[in-house]
Amino acid sequence: MADHAHPFTPSRRGFLAGAGLTGLSLLAAACSSGTPPSSGASDATSPTGAAKRGGTLRVGTPAPPTSLDPVTMYDGSAIGIVQLVADYLIWLDPDFTLVPRLAQSWSAEPGNKVWTFVIRKGVVFSDGTPLDAKAVKASFDRLLDPKNKSAALSAFDGILVAGGVSLRGTDTVVFTLERAFSDFPYLVSAGNYNAVILKSDYAGNFAKSPIGTGPFLLKTYNASTGATLVRNPKHWQTGKPYLDGVQVKFYADSQAEQLALQSGDLDALIITDPSVILATGNVVLDKVSGTAMTALTLRADKAPFDKKEVRQAIAYALDRPGVNQSIDNNIGQLGNDHLFAPLFKAAPTDIAQRAQDADKVKQLLSSAGVDKLSFTLTFDPPSKSYALVIQDQLKQVGIDVKLDQRSSSEFYGGDQAKDTPWLFTDANLVAWAGRAVPSQFLAPMVTSKGVWNGSKYANPALDAALLAYDAAASDDERKKQAEIIATTLHEDVPVIISIWNGSVRAYNKTKFTGIKAHPSTYVDFSSVSRV
Amino acid sequence: MTGLLVDGLRVSFDTRRGPVHVVDDVSLDVPRGATLGVVGESGSGKTTFGRALARHLPSNGRVLDGHISVDGTDVLALSPRDLRAWRARELAVVHQEAGATLDPSMRVGAQLAEVLGQQDVARDARRDRVRDLLSAVRLPDPDAIARRYPHELSGGQQQRVVIAAVLAARPSLVILDEPTTGLDASVEAEILALLEDLRRDLDATLVLISHDLGLVGQICDEVVVLYAGQVVERGAAADVLTTPRHPYTAALLASAPTFGVPRRQRRLLAIAGTPPDPAAPPPGCRFAPRCAFADDTCRADSPPARVVDGRTVRCHHAELLDLTATARPGADAPVPRPGSLLQLNGLTRRYGSLAVVDDVTLDIAPGEVFGLVGESGSGKTTLARAVMGIGPRPRSGTMRLSGNALAPVLRRRGRAVLRRMQMVFQQPDTTLNPSHRVRTVLARALETLDGTDSVETLAARAQLDAALLDARSTDLSGGQKQRVAIARAFAGSPDLVVCDEPVSALDVSVQAGVLEVLADERDRTGTSYLFISHDLAVIGYLADRVGVMYRGQLVEVGATDDVLSGPHHPYTAALVLAAQRRERRRSATPPAQAAIATGCRFAARCPHHLGDVCAEQPPPLRTVAEGHQVRCHLPIDQLPKGTA
Amino acid sequence: MTRLLTRRLVAIPVTLLAVSVLVFLATEVLPGDVARTVLGREASDASVADLRRSLGLDDALPVRYAHWLGRFVHGDWGTSYTLKVPVRELVLGRLGNSLLLAAFAFLLLVPIALGLGLLAGLHHDKPTDRVISVVGLALGATPEFVTGVILLVVFAVQLKWFPASAQANPGAGLLVRLDHLVLPAVSLVLLCTGYVARHVRASTVAAVESPYVRAAELRGASRSQVVRRHVLRNSTVPATSALGVQAQFLIGGLVAVELLFNYPGVGALLLQSAVDKDLPTLQAAAVVLGLLYMLIMLLVDVTYRLLDPRLRREVHA
Amino acid sequence: MTAVQERRAVAVATGVAAPPTARRRRPIALSVGAVLVGGWVLIAAFWPYLAPYDPQRQHPTLRFAAPSGAHWLGTDQFGRDTFSRMLAGARPVLEIAPLATGLALIAGTLIGLLAGTCGRWVDELIMRVLDAVLVFPAIIASILFVAMLGRSVTVLVLVIGLAFVPIVTRSVRAATLVERQQPYVEAALLRGEPLWSLMLREILPNISRTVLVEATSRLGDAIFAAATLSFIGLGQQPGSPDWGASVSDNRAYLQNAPWTVLSPALAIASLVIGVALVADSLRARLDAR
């Protein structure tokens, strides 16, 4: 029997079924602005006592599915590596506060349509050329030029277009917007991960000529095995980074990473799957709450979900704490089916938190004239666990869910205007990375002309409220509009949000300190040092 | 007491059905330097007896009791270490398939060197000793042979190497188990000559185990006849073979065809029934159920071994029996009808560059038995298969059946032609489909060949017991299987049956039965046979006309009596001499693959060699008498003649 | 011999051509879109369409195939659509890794499998034979991703004898790289030993019961002499074909082990490029693997004939 | 009358063909194998009555519970009872493997017989096609099938079955070639038996030993392959308790919940070993005959 010249070459579990297990969706880690500027920027809290210098941090992460190119990158690993080498105008702290980096200061003229940024002086690129406003303008013009096919285009959609960036003197850049946008600083911050500042003559092959202002220099990059980085002596943050270098190793899946952490092969992870990586032995987890979530989108323009009651029935069928327990290891926060995460300052707190209510489900379904509800739920591997939880919970209240798993390339493939499964199937699960600004969820997902409106929900009142929210100058105006939007979504339920995912980062506490988690798995090792 | 002494030897096998006594109370003594022949058919226990002498029984065999001593050494009492030393010094065994006892992955010289090592011959002296041994067994160019692998030698050459190993060991007891079975007559003659030299050089005791009475009679001083594990007769070889005292020995002699005695003169007498089941031997004399003279006492108690005028016989009535009158009178065969049934014209078949069948032209009349004789490698089987349309791709030459053209390839022959030509194969064990019952085999044949008879009549005609029809084909004995094969061939009442060595794999007594079935069928239906064999005695017994093939060519064809008695082709003469076992060949055999000479192919071995003309020019086809042609340069009157 | 060689060598390019055509057609049918995979779901349809055009994916299939074949034959294997690195270095680099692991596993496999097979054969039907057969069967029957997991937990995590990942840091010496390969190699050896040992056992039993061994015993040779001189050679030669089958599996088939031990082998690359529809990489990997597969098949047949004197000459009829 | 025949005659008469000692000990392996295989078959048929819990039912509060009285083999990441899932997982594996093996056997045997019996260009053509199929990475073929026909039991059976056809064909062809030279086949040929009759009536019954051995070996491999396909995510839709899928999904929790991986893994191993033991003793028994 053992003469098994068995023909199957079992595949890399990583991509198909496995990618899901990395929890955070690699394909969806787009992120942008967050809450308005708070008190003055401050460096990362300085470590207690003088930090020890030297040492090489060994970090594990899944291999990026595409090449290392800051302009078009979208997956967590590529973003992490680029962030070690290049800088943004503004950095985003784990609680989404804006931290000035290459931009010394910024201000908006009344009406929030014209913004000016003053560039920090004395900063040089790793090849010695000094940083100036021209390089900043070139970096943003590059993103806005459709030829470069950057994902950042969708972040700036309807707000900033090619030509809106102009110079004033050698160290000031002016952005003229299409419409008022009070949260604009977030769009040029780390929140918009493609917005790193590169030299004006950057020609596109970052792996070959990785010139940036960041704390480290990229020495070698191999698409199959990993990357090695060393301290950037010309880094503008004096005395930083404390480390001699960083060694990035690519891992097929989270289970291999867990083993490497425990056996001491690795010191930390860039992307940590909360349901797999556990704090055992020397491995500890740094936790932060975040604004990532997996949206259960229901097509509101055709049966069976054209009736609001049926959509609400699904919302009331879900046991949200059970979901948090099963798929986020209890580090998430409960969602209330509107797109304002608790972390957002403008998030209304007075809407009753929905909970599982079997009788209400039956009552809602009978009022909608539906005696036996059954539907097909489409998703790709990263959302497999959540799909299983939904199927089981809905079964308890008599709703039959048939699962339809597609490979990620199939789920997101096809024409986004006509037939791509993630925007056109009756019910689907789409995982979204954390966002700093609520309108980054609202504008594309639930406005009538939203570019990613999978539910086909169209409500002019909501559209107007969002415009007002964006343009609002004061906090109470912003809160009033937020209240309108939230209650409308809570009532109409085009998209069901059961929990907001927390974010963790695992590291070996006996080796290095200063390793912090980040809602969008961003990487800042400039203040990491040996124990 | 030098020589071999065996007293009351009993050997049994452990089987699922309990112990089985294969050798039952055998006693004999052979003075040193003498040769003992042990004769018996399948199941008689002769091979087991041989292995017991060497104390090398299979894992489930045990010596129950008895005593074996060789030159005073009690073999059964030896400790494993002493046994090994005794085997190395005193014993040598030659098996039937000599090739199989040579390690396929070691060169022949190295294996001989290993045997010399066993004799503590110094390493550097071994190379020369190996060369001497190989030339002692008359192998040409010993150094070349030493470097060859076993599969690169002919059967005869392999046997010689084994004998060289025996010479190396200088044993005092040599056991030969069927040493020449399966070898061609001429090669057999040479091997026997070597054995004679061996006996003289080593002054050793030889034990020759064989089924072939003629061979044993010639070589051995004394003969022991085994039946169902018991010695039924023992005595001087010459006496036992001419005046047998035990009915089984007489029956054996009666069933063996003798050279030059056709069926017209004396019909063979097969021994009825089959040997007893060793696990449950019958009470009384074990041969009683098959003995023509058996009476109640024979069936009741088993006869003791008594000495009757110098001969040990295990039979109650040995003194009274007149065993000479057992020969059956002859039966004349129908005369072949005129005209031509099968006509071959310049038939040639090649394997690669070698013309295995080279320009053969012959003619078979309806109702005629055409015998085709030749040694292995003469191409006789390839010719037979070519006639049936299978075998190597047709190259040239035409075939005609009853005058009209016969397609050279089976696929292109119509069903009617298939029905008219059928074949009987040599190996009984594989001629019938092992998973079919006999009835299915015959029924299938009747259906595909549109036979008109019923299965029962077919079986009866082949003298098959009706009860066997429902037996599985694997449970039949060799003789029974061949009879079923013959019945199958005759299902569609064919005009020609090609028989490729139909009896050479059978025991002598069974062989007689099968030959009778073939003869009866021919008498009844007038079917012609193309009868192929290497045994001139069998050919002489049945064939009306004979063709002699040598290395692909038909060197002689004619009426059987003319060809056998002569004047005949020098090669035919050699075959006749070998068949009569008169003259042992001394000359070294040429390497088998010698290049085909442009002239006569037999030139290299021909004692009547005329020099260049034979070597260079191809011999013409001369007519010795009406219908009798010979392909030889010798003028007719100088052609060798057979001796009476 | 030469007739066999030429016939088989001629068949190789033909088969590889067939494989490359099949792969091309297969990727045409596969769902998903490589341009979308490169740019991610949030890029606009327009930029995705623009990328498709630049990669030449919109031309007709035969045109693309002819274009690819022309360049491939001249050594230009193109650049990977997704990883944007030259395919040749990528595939050959990954193949080098797979070959290193396969060779290491094979070197461990040969002595162990032959030794166990011989041992089992010589002690035919005694306890050692039964134990070896059953254990061989059991290990052969357990999927490699199961044995691999158990090895990892015990030796990498608990005992820390060996590193968990099979991938040494770049530039590490051979010894260090082999140290990383011990666990994956052992899990492969456990999987393949049973099959080879069973074949060696069968030929050993045949050799022990063969006429030439019996004849050697009859000539007074001791058991150890018989085994050393006759049984050894005749029982290991037939093992070549069994080893050949395992060698083929070791090259293309160890993806699960590559994944489990985080080892960048060619098997993983093959599937990854298939799923991403990264055609140049997929084609190169399939053709290279196919070539290697057939060369090993041929090598096995040839060595088998060379080692066994009986088959050395092309025996006709 | 030759030595060989005499040994054969003694053997046939006394039924001593194989050394008796070998056959006595063989049944132990056979009985162990039969118990294992039989056990799983019974479980596959009656698991709903045997499983203490509903294998799909999730209990979020009971995640990764260690093996205990309530849950003999603990629970998985969704709080589902591992023991019940293991029992339920027997059915899909035992549905797919035998069907796939059947497909491979029927197709492989017919093609093997055809190649062995016809010989010449038919044989050469079939062997070359087989080489191409063997060389074409089976993994791409499986993705292709899943892509075209979606994920279902039929697709799995098709993919695994077809992948084994070349292996079965190769060994059946080898056995056929041996029988093809035998006189009883040539006699049938000379009688004008049609090709299908030569293949099915004359040769097939005599290579049944090879076909049976292939059957049991491929069954073991098919279970293995079904598990591997699920392991790479091409198996059934998520949620199925299929052993391969369970090992794949739970492999990540090896440290914190080893029972979630080891129970399906050992289930696969025990079933495959059972099949292997049965195959091995059947082969020995057939050799003996």
Side-chain angles (χ1 to χ4, degrees), chain C residues 10 15 50 61 64 74 79 85 94 112 142 173 236 244 258-259 283 285 293 309 311:
Chain C
V10 164
T15 316
D50 179 30
L61 187 64
R64 279 166 52 207
H74 292 94
T79 42
V85 287
R94 291 288 193 103
I112 294 174
T142 323
T236 44
E258 284 168 16
L259 170 78
Q283 281 285 33
Y293 207 81
L311 299 172

Side-chain angles (χ1 to χ4, degrees), chain B residues 17 42 178 385 444 507, chain D residues 1 13 186 193 201-202 206:
Chain B
R17 295 159 58 204
S42 305
E178 305 274 7
R385 290 167 65 86
R444 279 305 306 159
D507 280 335
Chain D
M1 44 89 192
E186 290 195 330
E193 292 270 6
R201 186 177 288 136
E202 296 291 335
N206 298 314

Side-chain angles (χ1 to χ4, degrees), chain B residues 309-434:
Chain B
D309 54 49
R311 193 89 55 78
T312 323
V313 186
R314 191 187 287 270
C315 172
H316 293 299
H317 318 297
E319 306 81 356
L320 327 161
L321 305 181
D322 168 7
L323 299 174
T324 52
T326 48
R328 281 171 66 186
D332 36 18
V335 173
R337 299 188 296 286
S340 148
L341 173 64
L342 177 71
Q343 205 227 338
L344 307 183
N345 206 314
L347 201 69
T348 304
R349 289 291 185 272
R350 285 182 202 288
Y351 279 124
S353 59
L354 184 63
V356 177
V357 170
D358 191 353
D359 183 22
V360 168
T361 305
L362 62 83
D363 214 296
I364 301 179
E368 176 184 53
V369 175
F370 185 93
L372 194 63
V373 71
E375 295 180 328
S376 58
S378 62
K380 53 189 188 305
T381 303
T382 311
L383 180 65
R385 290 167 65 86
V387 166
M388 295 307 291
I390 47 181
R393 282 201 321 286
R395 285 298 171 77
S396 60
T398 57
M399 293 191 271
R400 313 186 78 78
L401 186 64
S402 316
N404 23 43
L406 178 62
V409 181
L410 182 70
R411 276 199 313 283
R412 291 199 188 73
R413 294 182 182 177
R415 255 172 96 79
V417 173
L418 292 184
R419 192 183 55 71
R420 294 180 57 197
M421 295 171 64
Q422 281 299 308
M423 188 166 176
V424 175
F425 297 88
Q426 174 179 5
Q427 278 305 336
D429 291 340
T430 53
T431 190
L432 303 178
N433 189 321

Side-chain angles (χ1 to χ4, degrees), chain A residues 131-454:
Chain A
L131 167 73
D132 57 11
K134 209 152 57 49
V136 172
K137 175 181 184 325
S139 299
F140 282 97
D141 287 346
R142 191 177 302 119
L143 294 181
L144 293 169
D145 174 356
K147 179 165 63 51
N148 295 326
K149 315 183 192 58
S150 170
L153 270 176
S154 57
F156 290 125
D157 183 29
I159 299 166
L160 177 67
V161 289
V165 185
S166 52
L167 292 178
R168 189 186 294 157
T170 59
D171 56 10
T172 310
V173 179
V174 176
F175 295 86
T176 326
L177 308 186
E178 299 298 296
R179 61 181 172 91
F181 198 81
S182 49
D183 291 337
F184 180 68
Y186 286 89
L187 293 189
V188 292
S189 76
N192 186 356
Y193 49 80
N194 296 106
V196 283
I197 306 306
L198 302 173
K199 285 183 66 185
S200 354
D201 61 0
Y202 169 66
N205 194 329
F206 193 74
K208 282 286 173 301
S209 58
I211 299 157
T213 57
F216 296 94
L217 306 177
L218 180 63
K219 216 145 72 62
T220 64
Y221 179 79
N222 176 321
S224 310
T225 51
T228 50
L229 300 101
V230 290
R231 238 166 69 80
N232 171 8
K234 301 189 177 68
H235 185 51
W236 54 277
Q237 296 184 67
T238 48
K240 282 193 176 173
Y242 304 114
L243 294 171
D244 289 339
V246 176
Q247 210 222 313
V248 181
K249 262 181 157 183
F250 291 151
Y251 275 79
D253 67 29
S254 49
Q255 204 265 327
E257 283 172 332
Q258 166 86 38
L259 283 165
L261 260 178
Q262 278 181 315
S263 62
D265 272 16
L266 284 180
D267 305 324
L269 299 181
I270 290 184
I271 293 173
T272 309
D273 168 8
S275 65
V276 172
I277 308 295
L278 290 176
T280 51
N282 301 334
V283 175
V284 288
L285 299 176
D286 184 40
K287 280 199 200 55
V288 282
S289 57
T291 57
M293 52 81 183
T294 303
L296 168 56
T297 310
L298 308 169
R299 285 250 337 227
D301 61 341
K302 68 189 188 60
F305 298 120
D306 44 2
K307 292 200 181 63
K308 183 172 66 172
E309 293 74 14
V310 177
R311 297 199 298 273
Q312 286 177 350
I314 307 280
Y316 278 103
L318 286 177
D319 162 19
R320 297 165 194 249
V323 171
N324 191 7
Q325 183 84 8
S326 292
I327 65 167
D328 210 26
N329 212 3
N330 234 350
I331 57 171
Q333 294 158 310
L334 298 191
N336 207 5
D337 301 338
H338 55 71
L339 288 161
F340 285 87
L343 195 60
F344 290 146
K345 292 203 174 38
T349 51
D350 50 7
I351 304 172
Q353 170 61 45
R354 259 195 192 120
Q356 190 174 42
D357 182 343
D359 311 337
K360 194 149 179 50
V361 170
K362 284 196 185 51
Q363 181 254 326
L364 280 168
L365 284 181
S366 59
S367 66
V370 172
D371 48 13
K372 184 75 181 75
L373 175 62
S374 89
F375 64 95
T376 304
L377 179 61
T378 313
F379 54 92
D380 72 332
S383 316
K384 180 163 84 165
S385 302
Y386 188 24
L388 284 169
V389 169
I390 292 172
Q391 180 182 44
D392 181 68
Q393 289 186 357
L394 264 57
K395 198 164 125 208
Q396 312 306 333
V397 289
I399 300 175
D400 171 37
V401 179
K402 183 172 168 307
L403 300 185
D404 170 19
Q405 174 175 318
R406 309 279 183 88
S407 73
S408 297
S409 57
E410 181 188 350
F411 187 59
Y412 295 115
D415 186 336
Q416 290 200 349
K418 288 207 291 301
D419 58 10
T420 177
W422 72 285
L423 291 175
F424 285 90
T425 44
D426 292 355
N428 56 58
L429 291 174
V430 178
W432 294 90
R435 303 271 160 129
V437 174
S439 58
Q440 285 320 104
F441 284 131
L442 296 166
M445 289 173 70
V446 284
T447 54
S448 317
K449 292 193 300 315
V451 68
W452 299 322
N453 185 343

Side-chain angles (χ1 to χ4, degrees), chain B residues 146-269:
Chain B
R147 268 195 314 284
R148 290 251 193 89
Y149 283 95
H151 67 278
E152 291 166 339
L153 305 179
S154 72
Q157 290 170 327
Q158 287 171 350
Q159 195 69 309
R160 287 164 182 273
V161 168
V162 168
I163 291 168
V166 170
L167 271 176
R170 306 209 64 72
S172 57
L173 168 67
V174 181
I175 303 172
L176 303 124
D177 186 351
E178 305 274 7
T180 59
T181 311
L183 295 179
D184 291 325
S186 55
V187 175
E188 175 185 77
E190 282 146 16
I191 297 293
L192 296 184
L194 268 180
L195 292 182
E196 286 289 326
D197 301 347
L198 193 73
R199 185 159 71 132
R200 248 190 349 285
D201 296 352
L202 300 175
D203 185 22
T205 316
L206 255 66
V207 174
L208 176 63
I209 300 171
S210 175
H211 68 283
D212 183 340
L213 273 165
L215 173 71
V216 165
Q218 247 180 44
I219 300 285
C220 306
D221 308 322
E222 245 192 280
V223 162
V224 159
V225 180
L226 274 180
Y227 182 77
Q230 287 177 331
V231 174
V232 290
E233 182 160 2
R234 178 161 151 268
D239 308 345
V240 169
L241 293 181
T242 47
T243 55
R245 273 280 179 274
H246 192 282
Y248 175 64
T249 319
L252 270 185
L253 289 171
S255 61
T258 33
F259 178 75
V261 175
R263 186 164 179 272
R264 289 191 305 284
Q265 200 177 333
R266 176 177 73 86
R267 282 178 62 185
L268 295 179
L269 179 65

